Amino acid sequence: DIQLTQSPSFLSASVGDRVTITCRVSHDINNYLAWYQQRPGEAPNLLIYAASTLQSGVPLRFSGSGSGPEFTLTISSLQPEDFGTFYCQQLNTYPYTFGQGTKLEIK
Amino acid sequence: QVQLVQSGAEVKKPGASVRLSCKATGHTFTSETIHWVRQAPGQRPEWVGALNTGTGHTKYSQKFQGKSIVEVDKNMNTVYLEVTSLTSDDTGVYYCATEGEMYHEVPAGYHRYIWFDPWGQGTLVTVSS
């Protein structure tokens, strides 16, 4: 299975900060990568697909970049509603796998 | 706007089976791929398997092969996940999600990018004696 390793695992930041989360993949995934935000008690919510394409309706402060083996999710100016756990997911090879998550706390 | 509505929480004893449902509202299944994802408490999501509602073709993670069955009832616009021989390790929230797709042309042909959106609200399955 393709392994995804996110860093950091935990992040505490203030409103207005620029935040970057990294996802390192163990094999080439041809940019078949998605990012999700999951708030407590909710289902994951799609932010980015194809490594850098913003899902419709997602605020422009979110962006994705990179290519194998390292991808990044950036929040340009952190907002109070951006708390939760962020996951990357590879959709290149079955079984589709997720990173271990980055928990983001708003100070 | 498509929404996926999942069945309610379940409590099961070890060794039992559970059947979860995922109903599409605002849309009639034609040829979508619906995925199932399990998330154990405090853990990352884990892909279980998927079904194409048009062909009925299924694909499972090797971990869940033989333990899980995904089916569709197109008349009910509902996809089901059955998990058998439950153990405490099967405790968690089970989500269904729709596969979205985009074709991107490249010199050698095209890339078919996919993603999971929208998701159902999740069903909590608790396995306990």
Side-chain angles (χ1 to χ4, degrees), chain A residues 4 30-32 36 38 42-44 46 49-50 53 55 87 89 91 94-96 98-100, chain B residues 35 37 39 43-47 59 61 95 99 102 111-117 119-121:
Chain A
L4 283 72
N30 295 304
N31 286 4
Y32 286 77
Y36 302 86
Q38 186 177 35
E42 297 182 2
L46 176 70
Y49 61 89
T53 303
Q55 169 68 343
Y87 294 99
Q89 179 199 26
L91 300 110
Y94 290 119
Y96 298 150
F98 292 80
Q100 85 278 15
Chain B
H35 294 264
V37 174
Q39 190 169 30
Q43 301 300 308
R44 73 184 78 187
E46 187 174 27
W47 182 74
K59 183 75 175 179
S61 167
Y95 296 99
E99 179 179 293
M102 175 189 76
H111 283 228
R112 178 179 172 268
Y113 291 105
I114 63 172
W115 56 86
F116 291 3
D117 183 70
W119 295 58
Q121 84 277 18

Side-chain angles (χ1 to χ4, degrees), chain B residues 1 6 9-10 14 23 26 30 34 38 45 66 72 76 81 84 91 93 99 106-107 109 116 124-126:
Chain B
Q1 179 75 356
Q6 298 186 231
E10 302 268 7
K23 183 177 177 63
T30 53
I34 303 297
R38 180 175 80 184
V72 62
M76 297 294 290
L81 169 68
T84 61
T91 291
V93 178
E99 179 179 293
V106 294
F116 291 3
L124 174 63
V125 175
T126 304

Side-chain angles (χ1 to χ4, degrees), chain A residues 23-46:
Chain A
C23 177
R24 177 170 286 268
V25 300
S26 63
H27 296 75
D28 183 17
I29 60 168
N30 295 304
N31 286 4
Y32 286 77
L33 188 100
W35 288 96
Y36 302 86
Q37 175 189 19
Q38 186 177 35
R39 298 190 182 98
E42 297 182 2
N45 180 52
L46 176 70

Side-chain angles (χ1 to χ4, degrees), chain A residues 5-96:
Chain A
T5 304
Q6 293 181 227
S7 59
S9 294
F10 178 81
L11 185 54
S12 181
S14 300
V15 172
D17 282 354
R18 181 181 181 89
V19 167
T20 298
I21 299 169
T22 298
C23 177
R24 177 170 286 268
V25 300
S26 63
H27 296 75
D28 183 17
I29 60 168
N30 295 304
N31 286 4
Y32 286 77
L33 188 100
W35 288 96
Y36 302 86
Q37 175 189 19
Q38 186 177 35
R39 298 190 182 98
E42 297 182 2
N45 180 52
L46 176 70
L47 301 173
I48 301 283
Y49 61 89
S52 61
T53 303
L54 192 68
Q55 169 68 343
S56 175
V58 174
L60 294 175
R61 63 181 180 274
F62 290 93
S63 64
S65 64
S67 59
E70 197 165 281
F71 299 87
T72 59
L73 173 70
T74 299
I75 308 173
S76 60
S77 179
L78 199 63
Q79 297 302 302
E81 62 269 29
D82 295 339
F83 69 94
T85 302
F86 292 81
Y87 294 99
C88 55
Q89 179 199 26
Q90 67 83 17
L91 300 110
N92 183 73
T93 306
Y94 290 119
Y96 298 150

Side-chain angles (χ1 to χ4, degrees), chain B residues 103-111 113:
Chain B
Y103 288 87
H104 177 68
E105 197 168 351
V106 294
Y110 63 88
H111 283 228
Y113 291 105

